[in-house]
Amino acid sequence: MGDRKVQQHALFYEFSLERHVPETHLLRAIDRFVELDSIRAHLAPYYSEMGRPSIDPELLIRMLIVGYCFGVRSERRLCEEVHLNLAYRWFCRLGLDGDVPDHSTFSKTRHGRFRDADLLRELFETVVRRCMAEGLVGGEGFAVDASMIVADAHRQRGVATPDQLGPKANRAVTEYLATLDNAAFGAATPVEPKFISPVDPAARWTASWGGPAVYAYCTNYLVDVQHAVIVDVEPSTAVRQAEVAAAKTMIERAHDDLDLWPERLIADTGYGSAEMLNWLVNDRGIEPHIPVFDKSRRTDDTFSREDFVYDHASDTYRCPGGKTLRRYRREFTVPRIGVMKDNSLRYRASKHDCEPCPLKPRCCPNAPARKVPRPIYEGARDLAREIAKTEAYQTSRYQRKKVEMLFAHLKRILKLDRLRLRGPCGARDEFHLAAIAQNLRKLAKLIPGQQAIPAT
């Protein structure tokens, strides 16, 4: 057992952060792809030319990247970690004696200049463009999906109607009132939630994941299936209609801002409504690799619409008995000829064909002749059904899992299973920062850096 020998401390030390950060550290790989040269010009209109110098915005952004890459989402704890961790100091360009800013600086800057300048969105698109430049974005096939993230709101505290909210209670209430006409939030559905959170009213009261009801948002990802790069991200309220609206927004924005036009879109059944499929096929020219959402199958053991064969050339149906059903044009309730209130066309068989037919008990036992409704968007649904029979569709089913893997990584590795910021803007900030971190980690993993040559 040896004794501890007290040695005289050295008078001078030679220390280098560069030598103490391993070459294999994640931050070294990420640092190659962090491009922050343009943020000063982007933020210049939002800073005053008078007064004391502010905290460097590049330092704040680098600290936020560190926090979201390593799951340190508490800004108070992030400041402590950056103060103690040598690799974090190296990435933030602080050196050994650099001062770490106070945690309150993040809140003031985020709610002010960063949001006014939409800086986090600009940084996200910068990272996506770098992924495109490195060849990680194919642009041929996209996958879209949404995942529910619990909001920072107590599940046992709520009001019944928006009238009980104080219009000037907090920032989240103001943001909620500003999104009432937004298709991804207030205008997504006319159905009022059972409860509304007084601290974050835009968060939806939902139990869609099968557990106890909570207040939650949804993060929506548009992912390129070649290397699972997040092409776009958008927050929405936690209802399916809002997720479909967010998907349309992301597809349009990817084309307008990034000049990406996918040939096919992969999604689950929730995106297989007639309106969504029609928008993809006829408005955007995108193949829908999506299961068709169809509730036309009858439950009384009679023939359903799928048992009737539609002929596009003659615009008629042929029944299982071989008879023809023609479009019913006599009565209609909207200016479009033959279109009913439910946006469908009616095809009717002749009474003289149905009465002697031996299949009538299984076709129309309680009606003199069979009628078949056909939605006006059925052509897009038929195309989706034909695509579902191909091998490419089966491949797309496997590729769709890449989105789910990103959500699992988001919640389990980056620890974003519950929001810390409130309101739609807070959710948007957190979702953008998390997507930036995931894309940077993807770049670091797939693009190898130059190997260091040892000195001889």
Side-chain angles (χ1 to χ4, degrees):
M1 185 189 308
D3 294 334
R4 179 173 179 266
K5 298 179 180 179
V6 180
Q7 298 180 354
Q8 181 180 359
H9 295 289
L11 296 178
F12 301 99
Y13 290 94
E14 181 182 354
F15 187 87
S16 172
L17 275 179
E18 185 70 29
R19 289 190 291 115
H20 278 73
V21 179
E23 292 292 335
T24 57
H25 198 281
L26 177 62
L27 286 180
R28 275 199 181 274
I30 288 177
D31 187 64
R32 297 177 290 132
F33 306 105
V34 177
E35 301 173 357
L36 302 177
D37 299 336
S38 62
I39 67 169
R40 297 182 183 278
H42 190 78
L43 290 172
Y46 303 92
Y47 279 87
S48 174
E49 296 180 357
M50 302 174 59
R52 298 174 58 190
S54 68
I55 300 295
D56 184 3
E58 180 177 346
L59 170 60
L60 299 179
I61 292 298
R62 284 184 174 273
M63 289 181 65
L64 287 173
I65 291 176
V66 168
Y68 278 81
C69 280
F70 292 93
V72 184
R73 296 176 51 245
S74 168
E75 289 156 2
R76 188 186 298 268
R77 183 185 162 206
L78 175 62
C79 292
E80 296 173 355
E81 293 289 337
V82 172
H83 177 72
L84 296 173
N85 193 301
L86 295 179
Y88 295 173
R89 281 185 167 272
W90 173 85
F91 182 80
C92 295
R93 310 293 193 262
L94 278 175
L96 282 176
D97 54 353
D99 294 330
V100 178
D102 188 76
H103 65 88
S104 62
T105 307
F106 290 95
S107 298
K108 296 177 182 179
T109 309
R110 182 194 303 110
H111 294 313
R113 300 182 182 96
F114 284 4
R115 286 186 183 173
D116 293 340
D118 203 10
L119 179 63
L120 297 181
R121 178 69 199 181
E122 179 69 20
L123 290 177
F124 171 76
E125 292 185 355
T126 300
V127 175
V128 174
R129 291 190 181 95
R130 182 60 184 270
C131 293
M132 295 170 62
E134 297 289 345
L136 301 185
V137 178
E140 183 269 335
F142 286 174
V144 65
D145 206 352
S147 184
M148 196 172 71
I149 307 294
V150 179
D152 184 27
H154 199 291
R155 61 179 301 270
Q156 295 181 346
R157 297 175 184 173
V159 297
T161 62
D163 299 336
Q164 300 175 355
L165 297 172
K168 298 182 179 179
N170 54 39
R171 184 183 293 105
V173 174
T174 305
E175 294 176 5
Y176 161 73
L177 297 175
T179 58
L180 291 179
D181 296 330
N182 192 325
F185 285 95
T189 174
V191 179
E192 293 291 340
K194 186 176 180 180
F195 298 108
I196 299 175
S197 171
V199 296
D200 194 354
R204 187 85 178 186
W205 175 259
T206 178
S208 60
W209 59 2
V214 294
Y215 295 105
Y217 288 92
C218 272
T219 177
N220 299 267
Y221 276 4
L222 184 67
V223 176
D224 183 89
V225 296
Q226 180 175 341
H227 291 290
V229 172
I230 304 171
V231 175
D232 207 341
V233 57
E234 182 74 7
S236 70
T237 189
V239 295
R240 177 56 67 179
Q241 297 92 322
E243 296 168 11
V244 173
K248 292 181 178 180
T249 300
M250 292 188 293
I251 293 172
E252 292 174 345
R253 195 161 52 196
H255 175 258
D256 296 339
D257 298 346
L258 302 173
D259 197 25
L260 293 174
W261 191 280
E263 298 179 6
R264 56 193 172 99
L265 181 71
I266 308 167
D268 58 22
T269 312
Y271 298 85
S273 63
E275 293 80 2
M276 180 63 177
L277 295 175
N278 178 72
W279 183 82
L280 289 172
V281 174
N282 297 321
D283 294 349
R284 310 301 293 186
I286 300 174
E287 290 185 1
H289 288 231
I290 305 172
V292 177
F293 184 78
D294 190 0
K295 289 188 175 182
S296 63
R297 176 177 289 275
R298 293 189 173 188
T299 58
D300 57 357
D301 200 28
T302 59
F303 293 131
S304 301
R305 186 175 63 222
E306 63 184 17
D307 298 315
F308 293 75
V309 180
Y310 179 72
D311 182 55
H312 290 271
S314 60
D315 190 21
T316 59
Y317 274 99
R318 184 168 296 276
C319 73
K323 303 300 181 181
T324 301
L325 286 75
R326 304 185 185 279
R327 192 195 297 185
Y328 188 55
R329 301 175 181 269
R330 187 171 299 174
E331 296 179 2
F332 54 90
T333 54
V334 293
R336 292 173 293 177
I337 297 178
V339 180
M340 304 300 177
K341 286 184 177 180
D342 58 350
N343 284 333
S344 65
L345 306 171
R346 295 292 188 270
Y347 292 78
R348 189 175 69 170
S350 171
K351 181 179 179 181
H352 299 289
D353 292 336
C354 289
E355 284 184 347
C357 181
L359 297 177
K360 189 176 188 302
R362 287 198 59 197
C363 187
C364 51
N366 300 321
R370 179 60 188 262
K371 297 178 182 179
V372 175
R374 179 179 175 82
I376 59 175
Y377 304 132
E378 193 67 16
R381 289 153 60 98
D382 288 341
L383 176 61
R385 294 187 184 100
E386 291 298 322
I387 293 174
K389 301 175 184 178
T390 63
E391 295 183 3
Y393 178 83
Q394 299 303 323
T395 303
S396 297
R397 291 295 90 198
Y398 290 108
Q399 292 176 333
R400 191 182 69 85
K401 296 179 181 179
K402 294 183 179 182
V403 191
E404 298 173 357
M405 293 172 64
L406 284 171
F407 289 142
H409 180 268
L410 176 72
K411 295 178 180 181
R412 298 186 62 182
I413 306 301
L414 303 189
K415 311 297 184 184
L416 189 59
D417 55 348
R418 184 184 180 93
L419 294 173
R420 293 189 63 254
L421 306 182
R422 293 173 176 171
C425 291
R428 186 171 184 265
D429 289 348
E430 290 217 61
F431 295 159
H432 274 98
L433 282 167
I436 289 171
Q438 287 183 295
N439 279 346
L440 286 174
R441 290 173 67 111
K442 180 72 66 175
L443 281 165
K445 178 181 179 181
L446 298 181
I447 308 298
Q450 295 182 354
Q451 298 293 329
I453 301 176
T456 58

